Amino acid sequence: MFREVYEAYCVVHGEHHTSTLNTLINLATTYRDLQENEKAVELYEKAITGRKATEGDQRVNYAMVKGMAAAAYRDLDDFEKAYAYLKESYLVIAVNHGEDNLAASNVLNSMGVLYKKWGKPDRAQDAYERALKVRTELVGEDHPDSVATRHNLAELFIEMNKPDRAKELFDLNVELMKKREE
């Protein structure tokens, strides 16, 4: 369905219109969800080109689509490319908007996922902890984004053979989720 909508938007608005690019990104994300990462990468790259042409390469929209493409590259085990894209994404956000915002924390969390899969647990820990600090300060420790990053960090601690630290984080998440249900 996104394919047909995308093609219609290309005809009506042109391939670099915001609505067209958003639909293209949704289509790429659908392919990624289906684990068709080569197709996802192809479409994300097209969206990156479109964002750069219409908004430049110093805008959050550009940085976020680079981050999405990085996740697809990570799933293809192209860790160097994923890292390069996440690094650029983070720098664009940090330089233009500072490091203490949700967009930067999203990139940091994605870096944690990348480093974990890449076999760099210390770097993953640092990225997750930085993301968690920002998320906790901005949206609270019980926000789903904070809970998700804390969960990622706990899973990493299990891999690092630090079960006590993992249990602390899992227990905190359970406690926070129970409070949200009340």
Side-chain angles (χ1 to χ4, degrees):
M1 176 173 189
F2 282 125
R3 168 76 58 198
E4 291 83 14
V5 172
Y6 169 70
E7 290 170 359
Y9 277 31
C10 282
V11 171
V12 174
H13 299 294
E15 68 179 317
H16 290 161
H17 187 274
T18 299
S19 296
T20 306
L21 292 172
N22 289 343
T23 303
L24 180 61
I25 292 165
N26 289 338
L27 181 59
T29 301
T30 299
Y31 278 114
R32 186 163 172 263
D33 290 344
L34 295 170
Q35 297 179 344
E36 295 183 33
N37 290 300
E38 281 119 13
K39 187 65 177 173
V41 161
E42 174 189 329
L43 298 177
Y44 282 132
E45 290 293 350
K46 191 171 184 175
I48 289 167
T49 300
R51 287 279 194 236
K52 187 173 184 177
T54 58
E55 299 179 27
D57 61 2
Q58 294 301 306
R59 301 290 298 266
V60 170
N61 285 339
Y62 171 83
M64 294 313 290
V65 75
K66 289 283 278 205
M68 291 175 191
Y73 281 113
R74 179 194 68 227
D75 291 345
L76 291 169
D77 294 336
D78 190 343
F79 302 132
E80 296 287 342
K81 184 82 163 195
Y83 173 74
Y85 274 36
L86 287 173
K87 182 179 177 184
E88 180 182 359
S89 180
Y90 186 79
L91 289 173
V92 167
I93 293 165
V95 165
N96 292 293
H97 304 284
E99 296 180 64
D100 295 333
N101 60 67
L102 290 177
S105 76
N106 288 339
V107 176
L108 287 169
N109 189 70
S110 293
M111 284 183 168
V113 175
L114 171 63
Y115 288 138
K116 180 181 174 196
K117 187 171 181 187
W118 200 355
K120 298 181 179 200
D122 293 334
R123 293 186 78 180
Q125 180 181 342
D126 178 62
Y128 284 142
E129 287 175 344
R130 290 172 57 204
L132 183 59
K133 180 181 182 292
V134 170
R135 288 176 170 190
T136 300
E137 289 173 358
L138 292 178
V139 295
E141 68 179 356
D142 67 336
H143 188 275
D145 288 346
S146 300
V147 170
T149 299
R150 194 176 300 106
H151 180 87
N152 290 344
L153 184 56
E155 286 185 335
L156 177 67
F157 284 144
I158 289 171
E159 280 189 20
M160 295 171 77
N161 199 26
K162 297 179 180 181
D164 292 342
R165 295 201 57 197
K167 184 177 181 334
E168 271 179 44
L169 296 174
F170 283 135
D171 287 348
L172 178 57
N173 272 357
V174 169
E175 178 185 323
L176 293 168
M177 289 186 286
K178 283 181 180 178
K179 282 184 184 176
R180 279 187 80 104
E181 290 177 0
E182 294 173 357

